[in-house]
Amino acid sequence: MNTPIRRLAFFSMALFGVLLLNVTWIQAFQAESLREHPYNARQYAEVLTLPRGPIVIGGEEVAFSEPVGGDSESYQREYPSGGLYAHAVGTFPIRGEGVEKTENSLLDGSDERLAVRNFMDTITGAEHQGASVEMTIDPAAQQAAMDGLEALGKNGAAVALDPSTGAILALYSNPTFDPNPVSSVTDPQDAQDAWTELTEDEQKPLLNRALQERYPPGSTFKVVTAAAALENGAEPDSTMDAPASINLGAPLPNAWGGPCNGGEPDPLAHSIEQSCNTSMANWALELGDDKMTEQAERFGFNQGELTTPVPALESLYPNPSGDRNLLGRSGIGQGNVEATPLQMAMVASGIANDGDIMQPYLVESVKDSDLSTIEGHTPEKFSTAVSGQTADQLKDMMILVTEGPDASGPKGAIAGMQVAGKTGTAETGSGPTHNWFISFAPADDPQVAVAVVVEHGGSSGGEAAAPIAKGIMEAVIDE
C-alpha cells in the first residue's frame, strides 16, 4: 500500500471513530436531556395532552389550560392578563424563565409529591390534573407598576416586597410582552415566529429587568454607605467635608454644582436628605475598602444568584483593593457597583424590617386539585444587614428625603403618612442617566418596600422614579 492510500485509510478510520464517539455520547450521555427537551417533537406533543394546573394571583387564575376546540386530547395555555405578569409567570410551552418553568413538575403533575394522588387517579380513572401554584404578587401593586412605567414611556423595572416576610408583591419589567401568541398550540410555527420577533426586538421585551439586569444604583447606594458609617461609630449628626467637587481621577461634583452645606462639613443625615455626592464619597474613603465591602455584602451584594424561585442575577460590589478613585465613587453607587432592582428593594426592606432582610419569594403555596396544600412557604431570614438601632437611624434619615426642608424626593411622599425614601441618578457612560427611587411605607409600620429604576430617564430619581414608587406603595397600603 503506497503512502497516499495509507493516509486516506487512516483518515477514513478516524472519521468513523469520531462518528462512533458522537453516537455513543448522544445515546449514553445526552439521551435524557434530548428526551426531556421542550422542542423534542414527541415530548412537545406529549406535554400538550396534559391538563396543566393553574397559576393563581390574588385569587384569580392568570394561567390555565383549556381543551383545544373542546377536545381534551390537547390543551391550550391561556394568559388572560396579557403582559401584566408575563415575566414572573412565564410561558408554556416553556420558553425563557418564569414560574411556568421553575414549578413545571408541580404544574404538569409529574412531581414526586403528587405520586400518591397520581396512583389513585390511575386506579379510579380520574382525569390527571397538575397542581395549582399560588403566587405572592399583589394585583393592585403590579398594575400600579405597569401603569407608572408605561405612562412614562421608558424601559425599566419595579419590585415591591413585604419587608416582614420577603413576599414579592410586585415584579414588573417594561417593556413586557403578551404570552398568548408565543404559547399557541394550534399553530406552533406562528408561535415560534412570534417568539423570534420578540427575541430580535431591540427593546428586549423578553428581558426580565427586575431580576436579570444589573444597573449602577447611583445615589440609592448612599444608604449602604451611611449604614457602614453608622455601624462603625458615626452618628446621624456626624459631619464630613462636602465641597463642590472632589478629585477621583476626574472631578466628582454635586448635582447642583456647589457645596452641600454652604461650604461647611455636612452632617450625615443631611447628606442623605440632599443626596450629597462629595460627602458620601469622602465617607467611603474614610471607611475604607473592607468596611464598605462588608456592609455591601451584608445587604446582599456578592452573594451569588438568588432564587425566588425564578432566578435573579448576583448584584456586585467590587472591593476597590486600594484604588482610591474606585472606592470614592463606589460610595455613591458608581465605580462598577451593579445592582438588580430586586437587590435595591432588599436594601430598602432590610432597613424597614429593623435590619433583617428576608429571603424574597414568589410562590406562596402549591395546592393539589382537591385544594389540599402540598407546599406552603415559611418566611426565612436572608441576612442581618444592620443593627436595629442603625435601621432606625437610617429610617429617620430617609424620611427627610421625602419631607425634609432640603428633600430630594418629595414626589415619593404620601399624604397622611411618613415615607422613607432615597433618590438615585446614575451615570451610565452610554447615554442619559438611569433614575432610581427606593422607599418603604408607612415608615412607622412598614407594609411595603419598593425599588423602581427608569432606564435612561434623563431626569432625576426624585422626578422620574419616585411617583411610580408612590403609586405602588399606595396600592398596597390602600387595600
Side-chain angles (χ1 to χ4, degrees):
M1 183 181 296
N2 61 33
T3 299
I5 295 176
R6 186 182 303 110
R7 289 174 177 170
L8 181 60
F10 285 147
F11 180 70
S12 299
M13 291 174 62
L15 288 178
F16 277 112
V18 170
L19 287 172
L20 287 172
L21 286 173
N22 185 55
V23 170
T24 300
W25 174 258
I26 292 173
Q27 292 184 341
F29 298 102
Q30 290 189 306
E32 183 67 19
S33 64
L34 291 172
R35 184 165 54 251
E36 299 297 329
H37 197 283
Y39 294 138
N40 180 316
R42 182 177 296 176
Q43 178 75 5
Y44 181 85
E46 182 179 344
V47 298
L48 298 183
T49 66
L50 302 174
R52 195 170 174 84
I55 297 174
V56 179
I57 292 177
E60 299 291 332
E61 294 184 357
V62 300
F64 55 87
S65 296
E66 288 283 350
V68 176
D71 182 359
S72 61
E73 291 299 316
S74 61
Y75 291 84
Q76 171 67 56
R77 200 65 164 164
E78 301 286 350
Y79 301 94
S81 300
L84 181 60
Y85 305 109
H87 293 98
V89 169
T91 64
F92 183 84
I94 294 167
R95 295 181 172 96
E97 298 290 346
V99 167
E100 289 275 31
K101 178 179 180 179
T102 63
E103 308 304 289
N104 180 56
S105 65
L106 287 161
L107 290 164
D108 71 15
S110 64
D111 193 279
E112 60 183 15
R113 286 166 287 184
L114 300 173
V116 174
R117 197 282 312 274
N118 290 339
F119 176 75
M120 294 304 298
D121 286 350
T122 301
I123 296 297
T124 62
E127 183 182 39
H128 176 85
Q129 177 69 52
S132 66
V133 172
E134 297 189 355
M135 296 181 65
T136 59
I137 290 177
D138 181 316
Q142 186 79 358
Q143 188 67 57
M146 182 182 201
D147 291 346
L149 282 163
E150 287 193 342
L152 200 61
K154 297 288 186 180
N155 295 353
V159 178
L161 301 174
D162 181 334
S164 64
T165 66
I168 297 175
L169 304 178
L171 185 77
Y172 181 73
S173 177
N174 199 61
T176 186
F177 67 98
D178 185 350
N180 291 290
V182 301
S183 301
S184 173
V185 300
T186 57
D187 196 331
Q189 186 57 54
D190 282 354
Q192 182 57 49
D193 291 344
W195 184 261
T196 300
E197 183 178 349
L198 290 170
T199 302
E200 295 175 350
D201 189 330
E202 63 181 14
Q203 296 299 315
K204 300 181 180 179
L206 296 176
L207 175 63
N208 186 344
R209 289 166 163 83
L211 302 181
Q212 289 293 318
E213 185 71 298
R214 289 188 289 246
Y215 304 89
S219 293
T220 59
F221 191 82
K222 289 174 182 174
V223 298
V224 178
T225 304
L230 294 169
E231 290 283 277
N232 286 279
E235 297 292 336
D237 59 359
S238 298
T239 59
M240 181 61 67
D241 289 341
S245 176
I246 60 174
N247 184 14
L248 293 174
L252 173 69
N254 294 309
W256 52 91
C260 295
N261 191 32
E264 297 296 322
D266 199 29
L268 181 59
H270 186 257
S271 291
I272 293 297
E273 174 186 354
Q274 194 178 26
S275 200
C276 180
N277 287 339
T278 56
S279 64
M280 297 310 298
N282 278 329
W283 274 112
L285 292 172
E286 179 169 295
L287 289 161
D289 299 345
D290 293 343
K291 290 177 181 177
M292 284 293 296
T293 300
E294 178 187 2
Q295 186 62 71
E297 291 180 349
R298 286 167 61 186
F299 271 107
F301 288 78
N302 302 341
Q303 299 302 309
E305 183 179 83
L306 279 171
T307 300
T308 69
V310 179
L313 287 178
E314 177 184 31
S315 293
L316 304 175
Y317 179 83
N319 188 313
S321 301
D323 185 328
R324 177 183 181 276
N325 298 335
L326 183 61
L327 175 60
R329 291 183 183 278
S330 76
I332 64 165
Q334 302 279 175
N336 299 332
V337 182
E338 297 181 7
T340 64
L342 173 63
Q343 172 63 71
M344 296 315 297
M346 290 169 65
V347 170
S349 71
I351 298 168
N353 195 42
D354 298 324
D356 289 336
I357 299 176
M358 305 302 289
Q359 178 73 34
Y361 67 99
L362 268 170
V363 176
E364 188 64 57
S365 65
V366 179
K367 294 184 177 180
D368 208 338
S369 55
D370 63 2
L371 300 183
S372 61
T373 300
I374 299 170
E375 180 182 284
H377 186 87
T378 301
E380 301 176 3
K381 186 168 75 172
F382 174 81
S383 70
T384 296
V386 293
S387 68
Q389 177 182 346
T390 294
D392 285 342
Q393 292 171 326
L394 289 169
K395 176 187 70 176
D396 291 341
M397 293 158 67
M398 292 172 69
I399 291 172
L400 294 173
V401 171
T402 63
E403 61 181 52
D406 291 322
S408 53
K411 291 188 176 181
I414 298 174
M417 72 178 65
Q418 289 187 315
V419 174
K422 183 67 194 79
T423 58
T425 304
E427 300 291 337
T428 66
S430 60
T433 56
H434 295 327
N435 305 140
W436 284 87
F437 195 73
I438 64 172
S439 57
F440 58 88
D444 59 349
D445 183 23
Q447 298 176 35
V448 57
V450 178
V452 174
V453 62
V454 177
E455 289 184 11
H456 302 299
S459 180
S460 67
E463 289 292 323
I468 300 172
K470 174 186 177 181
I472 297 169
M473 291 185 290
E474 287 179 321
V476 175
I477 294 166
D478 288 347
E479 292 186 341

PDB file of all heavy atoms in Angstrom, residues 351-372:
ATOM      1  N   ILE A 351     -33.840  47.809  55.891  1.00  0.00           N
ATOM      2  CA  ILE A 351     -33.941  48.969  56.787  1.00  0.00           C
ATOM      3  C   ILE A 351     -35.336  49.026  57.404  1.00  0.00           C
ATOM      4  O   ILE A 351     -35.501  49.307  58.597  1.00  0.00           O
ATOM      5  CB  ILE A 351     -33.611  50.257  56.014  1.00  0.00           C
ATOM      6  CG1 ILE A 351     -32.169  50.206  55.495  1.00  0.00           C
ATOM      7  CG2 ILE A 351     -33.812  51.483  56.895  1.00  0.00           C
ATOM      8  CD1 ILE A 351     -31.831  51.284  54.487  1.00  0.00           C
ATOM      9  N   ALA A 352     -36.356  48.722  56.589  1.00  0.00           N
ATOM     10  CA  ALA A 352     -37.731  48.747  57.085  1.00  0.00           C
ATOM     11  C   ALA A 352     -37.978  47.694  58.152  1.00  0.00           C
ATOM     12  O   ALA A 352     -38.794  47.894  59.059  1.00  0.00           O
ATOM     13  CB  ALA A 352     -38.697  48.536  55.917  1.00  0.00           C
ATOM     14  N   ASN A 353     -37.279  46.559  58.055  1.00  0.00           N
ATOM     15  CA  ASN A 353     -37.523  45.409  58.933  1.00  0.00           C
ATOM     16  C   ASN A 353     -36.505  45.327  60.058  1.00  0.00           C
ATOM     17  O   ASN A 353     -36.011  44.253  60.398  1.00  0.00           O
ATOM     18  CB  ASN A 353     -37.518  44.118  58.099  1.00  0.00           C
ATOM     19  CG  ASN A 353     -38.110  42.937  58.840  1.00  0.00           C
ATOM     20  OD1 ASN A 353     -39.128  43.066  59.526  1.00  0.00           O
ATOM     21  ND2 ASN A 353     -37.490  41.777  58.707  1.00  0.00           N
ATOM     22  N   ASP A 354     -36.158  46.470  60.628  1.00  0.00           N
ATOM     23  CA  ASP A 354     -35.261  46.523  61.794  1.00  0.00           C
ATOM     24  C   ASP A 354     -33.892  45.906  61.526  1.00  0.00           C
ATOM     25  O   ASP A 354     -33.251  45.386  62.438  1.00  0.00           O
ATOM     26  CB  ASP A 354     -35.900  45.833  63.008  1.00  0.00           C
ATOM     27  CG  ASP A 354     -37.185  46.518  63.447  1.00  0.00           C
ATOM     28  OD1 ASP A 354     -37.250  47.759  63.366  1.00  0.00           O
ATOM     29  OD2 ASP A 354     -38.127  45.817  63.849  1.00  0.00           O
ATOM     30  N   GLY A 355     -33.449  45.955  60.276  1.00  0.00           N
ATOM     31  CA  GLY A 355     -32.106  45.492  59.937  1.00  0.00           C
ATOM     32  C   GLY A 355     -32.037  44.107  59.339  1.00  0.00           C
ATOM     33  O   GLY A 355     -30.997  43.713  58.814  1.00  0.00           O
ATOM     34  N   ASP A 356     -33.139  43.341  59.410  1.00  0.00           N
ATOM     35  CA  ASP A 356     -33.148  41.975  58.880  1.00  0.00           C
ATOM     36  C   ASP A 356     -33.756  41.948  57.483  1.00  0.00           C
ATOM     37  O   ASP A 356     -34.873  42.446  57.269  1.00  0.00           O
ATOM     38  CB  ASP A 356     -33.949  41.035  59.781  1.00  0.00           C
ATOM     39  CG  ASP A 356     -33.250  40.751  61.096  1.00  0.00           C
ATOM     40  OD1 ASP A 356     -32.007  40.873  61.146  1.00  0.00           O
ATOM     41  OD2 ASP A 356     -33.940  40.394  62.071  1.00  0.00           O
ATOM     42  N   ILE A 357     -33.032  41.347  56.538  1.00  0.00           N
ATOM     43  CA  ILE A 357     -33.550  41.156  55.183  1.00  0.00           C
ATOM     44  C   ILE A 357     -34.121  39.748  55.096  1.00  0.00           C
ATOM     45  O   ILE A 357     -33.441  38.766  55.437  1.00  0.00           O
ATOM     46  CB  ILE A 357     -32.450  41.336  54.126  1.00  0.00           C
ATOM     47  CG1 ILE A 357     -31.875  42.757  54.196  1.00  0.00           C
ATOM     48  CG2 ILE A 357     -32.999  41.060  52.724  1.00  0.00           C
ATOM     49  CD1 ILE A 357     -30.710  42.984  53.250  1.00  0.00           C
ATOM     50  N   MET A 358     -35.348  39.624  54.648  1.00  0.00           N
ATOM     51  CA  MET A 358     -35.981  38.330  54.468  1.00  0.00           C
ATOM     52  C   MET A 358     -35.732  37.817  53.046  1.00  0.00           C
ATOM     53  O   MET A 358     -35.600  38.591  52.106  1.00  0.00           O
ATOM     54  CB  MET A 358     -37.478  38.429  54.740  1.00  0.00           C
ATOM     55  CG  MET A 358     -37.824  38.999  56.119  1.00  0.00           C
ATOM     56  SD  MET A 358     -37.103  38.043  57.489  1.00  0.00           S
ATOM     57  CE  MET A 358     -38.113  36.556  57.412  1.00  0.00           C
ATOM     58  N   GLN A 359     -35.661  36.507  52.918  1.00  0.00           N
ATOM     59  CA  GLN A 359     -35.449  35.880  51.612  1.00  0.00           C
ATOM     60  C   GLN A 359     -36.634  36.191  50.691  1.00  0.00           C
ATOM     61  O   GLN A 359     -37.779  35.880  51.014  1.00  0.00           O
ATOM     62  CB  GLN A 359     -35.323  34.367  51.776  1.00  0.00           C
ATOM     63  CG  GLN A 359     -35.159  33.586  50.488  1.00  0.00           C
ATOM     64  CD  GLN A 359     -33.781  33.750  49.868  1.00  0.00           C
ATOM     65  OE1 GLN A 359     -32.790  33.880  50.569  1.00  0.00           O
ATOM     66  NE2 GLN A 359     -33.729  33.720  48.549  1.00  0.00           N
ATOM     67  N   PRO A 360     -36.401  36.814  49.530  1.00  0.00           N
ATOM     68  CA  PRO A 360     -37.517  37.118  48.628  1.00  0.00           C
ATOM     69  C   PRO A 360     -38.100  35.833  48.023  1.00  0.00           C
ATOM     70  O   PRO A 360     -37.361  34.907  47.683  1.00  0.00           O
ATOM     71  CB  PRO A 360     -36.876  37.976  47.537  1.00  0.00           C
ATOM     72  CG  PRO A 360     -35.552  38.402  48.088  1.00  0.00           C
ATOM     73  CD  PRO A 360     -35.131  37.330  49.019  1.00  0.00           C
ATOM     74  N   TYR A 361     -39.426  35.812  47.865  1.00  0.00           N
ATOM     75  CA  TYR A 361     -40.053  34.632  47.267  1.00  0.00           C
ATOM     76  C   TYR A 361     -41.312  35.012  46.504  1.00  0.00           C
ATOM     77  O   TYR A 361     -41.996  35.986  46.828  1.00  0.00           O
ATOM     78  CB  TYR A 361     -40.359  33.574  48.327  1.00  0.00           C
ATOM     79  CG  TYR A 361     -41.413  33.950  49.352  1.00  0.00           C
ATOM     80  CD1 TYR A 361     -42.730  33.510  49.220  1.00  0.00           C
ATOM     81  CD2 TYR A 361     -41.106  34.738  50.451  1.00  0.00           C
ATOM     82  CE1 TYR A 361     -43.698  33.835  50.157  1.00  0.00           C
ATOM     83  CE2 TYR A 361     -42.067  35.074  51.397  1.00  0.00           C
ATOM     84  CZ  TYR A 361     -43.361  34.617  51.246  1.00  0.00           C
ATOM     85  OH  TYR A 361     -44.325  34.954  52.171  1.00  0.00           O
ATOM     86  N   LEU A 362     -41.606  34.221  45.471  1.00  0.00           N
ATOM     87  CA  LEU A 362     -42.729  34.470  44.571  1.00  0.00           C
ATOM     88  C   LEU A 362     -43.872  33.485  44.727  1.00  0.00           C
ATOM     89  O   LEU A 362     -44.992  33.758  44.292  1.00  0.00           O
ATOM     90  CB  LEU A 362     -42.251  34.408  43.116  1.00  0.00           C
ATOM     91  CG  LEU A 362     -41.802  35.695  42.435  1.00  0.00           C
ATOM     92  CD1 LEU A 362     -41.135  35.379  41.109  1.00  0.00           C
ATOM     93  CD2 LEU A 362     -42.968  36.649  42.235  1.00  0.00           C
ATOM     94  N   VAL A 363     -43.601  32.298  45.291  1.00  0.00           N
ATOM     95  CA  VAL A 363     -44.623  31.252  45.402  1.00  0.00           C
ATOM     96  C   VAL A 363     -45.082  31.152  46.844  1.00  0.00           C
ATOM     97  O   VAL A 363     -44.297  30.817  47.730  1.00  0.00           O
ATOM     98  CB  VAL A 363     -44.087  29.905  44.897  1.00  0.00           C
ATOM     99  CG1 VAL A 363     -45.120  28.800  45.119  1.00  0.00           C
ATOM    100  CG2 VAL A 363     -43.727  29.994  43.416  1.00  0.00           C
ATOM    101  N   GLU A 364     -46.363  31.449  47.065  1.00  0.00           N
ATOM    102  CA  GLU A 364     -46.929  31.400  48.414  1.00  0.00           C
ATOM    103  C   GLU A 364     -47.284  29.985  48.818  1.00  0.00           C
ATOM    104  O   GLU A 364     -47.019  29.544  49.937  1.00  0.00           O
ATOM    105  CB  GLU A 364     -48.172  32.286  48.490  1.00  0.00           C
ATOM    106  CG  GLU A 364     -48.715  32.464  49.895  1.00  0.00           C
ATOM    107  CD  GLU A 364     -47.734  33.180  50.808  1.00  0.00           C
ATOM    108  OE1 GLU A 364     -47.313  34.300  50.480  1.00  0.00           O
ATOM    109  OE2 GLU A 364     -47.363  32.587  51.844  1.00  0.00           O
ATOM    110  N   SER A 365     -47.907  29.228  47.903  1.00  0.00           N
ATOM    111  CA  SER A 365     -48.303  27.857  48.222  1.00  0.00           C
ATOM    112  C   SER A 365     -48.554  27.083  46.948  1.00  0.00           C
ATOM    113  O   SER A 365     -48.743  27.661  45.864  1.00  0.00           O
ATOM    114  CB  SER A 365     -49.562  27.843  49.100  1.00  0.00           C
ATOM    115  OG  SER A 365     -50.673  28.360  48.383  1.00  0.00           O
ATOM    116  N   VAL A 366     -48.561  25.765  47.084  1.00  0.00           N
ATOM    117  CA  VAL A 366     -48.901  24.858  45.994  1.00  0.00           C
ATOM    118  C   VAL A 366     -50.017  23.966  46.498  1.00  0.00           C
ATOM    119  O   VAL A 366     -49.914  23.381  47.581  1.00  0.00           O
ATOM    120  CB  VAL A 366     -47.690  24.008  45.562  1.00  0.00           C
ATOM    121  CG1 VAL A 366     -48.083  23.057  44.434  1.00  0.00           C
ATOM    122  CG2 VAL A 366     -46.538  24.896  45.126  1.00  0.00           C
ATOM    123  N   LYS A 367     -51.104  23.863  45.727  1.00  0.00           N
ATOM    124  CA  LYS A 367     -52.260  23.081  46.157  1.00  0.00           C
ATOM    125  C   LYS A 367     -52.619  22.012  45.138  1.00  0.00           C
ATOM    126  O   LYS A 367     -52.498  22.221  43.928  1.00  0.00           O
ATOM    127  CB  LYS A 367     -53.461  24.005  46.397  1.00  0.00           C
ATOM    128  CG  LYS A 367     -53.252  24.965  47.560  1.00  0.00           C
ATOM    129  CD  LYS A 367     -54.484  25.800  47.847  1.00  0.00           C
ATOM    130  CE  LYS A 367     -54.252  26.699  49.058  1.00  0.00           C
ATOM    131  NZ  LYS A 367     -55.435  27.524  49.376  1.00  0.00           N
ATOM    132  N   ASP A 368     -53.046  20.876  45.666  1.00  0.00           N
ATOM    133  CA  ASP A 368     -53.492  19.777  44.826  1.00  0.00           C
ATOM    134  C   ASP A 368     -54.853  20.117  44.226  1.00  0.00           C
ATOM    135  O   ASP A 368     -55.496  21.103  44.612  1.00  0.00           O
ATOM    136  CB  ASP A 368     -53.568  18.498  45.660  1.00  0.00           C
ATOM    137  CG  ASP A 368     -53.352  17.253  44.816  1.00  0.00           C
ATOM    138  OD1 ASP A 368     -53.569  17.342  43.593  1.00  0.00           O
ATOM    139  OD2 ASP A 368     -52.981  16.210  45.376  1.00  0.00           O
ATOM    140  N   SER A 369     -55.316  19.277  43.313  1.00  0.00           N
ATOM    141  CA  SER A 369     -56.597  19.539  42.668  1.00  0.00           C
ATOM    142  C   SER A 369     -57.763  19.492  43.640  1.00  0.00           C
ATOM    143  O   SER A 369     -58.826  20.059  43.376  1.00  0.00           O
ATOM    144  CB  SER A 369     -56.821  18.528  41.535  1.00  0.00           C
ATOM    145  OG  SER A 369     -56.715  17.195  42.036  1.00  0.00           O
ATOM    146  N   ASP A 370     -57.598  18.822  44.798  1.00  0.00           N
ATOM    147  CA  ASP A 370     -58.646  18.814  45.819  1.00  0.00           C
ATOM    148  C   ASP A 370     -58.489  19.973  46.809  1.00  0.00           C
ATOM    149  O   ASP A 370     -59.149  19.996  47.848  1.00  0.00           O
ATOM    150  CB  ASP A 370     -58.652  17.477  46.570  1.00  0.00           C
ATOM    151  CG  ASP A 370     -57.351  17.225  47.327  1.00  0.00           C
ATOM    152  OD1 ASP A 370     -56.453  18.099  47.305  1.00  0.00           O
ATOM    153  OD2 ASP A 370     -57.222  16.146  47.937  1.00  0.00           O
ATOM    154  N   LEU A 371     -57.573  20.933  46.486  1.00  0.00           N
ATOM    155  CA  LEU A 371     -57.301  22.144  47.263  1.00  0.00           C
ATOM    156  C   LEU A 371     -56.524  21.885  48.549  1.00  0.00           C
ATOM    157  O   LEU A 371     -56.343  22.801  49.353  1.00  0.00           O
ATOM    158  CB  LEU A 371     -58.597  22.896  47.587  1.00  0.00           C
ATOM    159  CG  LEU A 371     -59.401  23.370  46.375  1.00  0.00           C
ATOM    160  CD1 LEU A 371     -60.614  24.155  46.829  1.00  0.00           C
ATOM    161  CD2 LEU A 371     -58.546  24.192  45.433  1.00  0.00           C
ATOM    162  N   SER A 372     -56.068  20.657  48.768  1.00  0.00           N
ATOM    163  CA  SER A 372     -55.185  20.402  49.905  1.00  0.00           C
ATOM    164  C   SER A 372     -53.810  20.999  49.615  1.00  0.00           C
ATOM    165  O   SER A 372     -53.348  20.996  48.467  1.00  0.00           O
ATOM    166  CB  SER A 372     -55.059  18.901  50.172  1.00  0.00           C
ATOM    167  OG  SER A 372     -54.501  18.242  49.051  1.00  0.00           O
TER     168      SER A 372
END
